Amino acid sequence: MAYDHYVAISNLLLCSQAMSPRLCASFVADSYFVGFLNSTIITSETFTLNFCGDNIIDDFFIDLPPLVKLACNMKESYQAVLYFILASNVIAPTVLILASYLFTIAAILKIRTHQDHLKAFTTCGSHLKAVT
């Protein structure tokens, strides 16, 4: 959506070509692929852990941190993979969205009239507020 706003503001006449159905499908497929890859790696690494002692989790939703607390043999490689994936799930999208909005703001500032500035900021302001 951030890329779509950038294209709509910087290349309004070329918007339909720049945001082609193929590119949109690629964005969707890439996000599904990365999500599948993340869950596959975390699940396969979790199955390598050994659990001993009390195997009761007092949570309604079994998330990774309570499950990891039950493991007897916490591998450092598992922790490294887990921290890398969790960090990349937060950092990569944030950097991509912020970079896209920086380009969008730069494109808006190139617009000459104040009324067009307001119109452009109104177009992407709600999404920027939600991302913030």
Side-chain angles (χ1 to χ4, degrees):
M1 191 166 187
Y3 179 73
D4 182 49
H5 283 151
Y6 168 69
V7 170
I9 289 171
S10 64
N11 298 330
L12 184 60
L13 298 176
L14 300 175
C15 188
S16 62
Q17 291 175 341
M19 284 300 295
S20 66
R22 181 179 174 163
L23 181 64
C24 291
S26 173
F27 282 158
V28 171
D30 290 347
S31 64
Y32 273 102
F33 175 73
V34 169
F36 179 76
L37 186 65
N38 281 341
S39 62
T40 302
I41 291 171
I42 289 175
T43 302
S44 64
E45 287 291 319
T46 303
F47 279 131
T48 64
L49 297 175
N50 290 327
F51 298 99
C52 59
D54 191 20
N55 289 338
I56 298 173
I57 297 177
D58 294 325
D59 290 333
F60 177 73
F61 179 73
I62 300 175
D63 200 13
L64 211 47
L67 188 64
V68 169
K69 286 181 186 177
L70 295 177
C72 296
N73 65 339
M74 175 55 71
K75 291 193 243 173
E76 292 170 7
S77 64
Y78 176 76
Q79 282 184 326
V81 167
L82 184 64
Y83 288 141
F84 174 76
I85 288 176
L86 294 177
S88 66
N89 283 343
V90 172
I91 293 171
T94 303
V95 167
L96 289 173
I97 290 170
L98 289 177
S100 177
Y101 273 109
L102 287 175
F103 284 120
T104 302
I105 290 170
I108 290 173
L109 293 176
K110 290 179 184 176
I111 298 173
R112 296 203 170 122
T113 64
H114 182 69
Q115 185 178 4
D116 290 340
H117 275 230
L118 291 176
K119 190 186 286 186
F121 276 121
T122 304
T123 301
C124 62
S126 61
H127 186 255
L128 185 59
K129 198 182 308 181
V131 168
T132 303

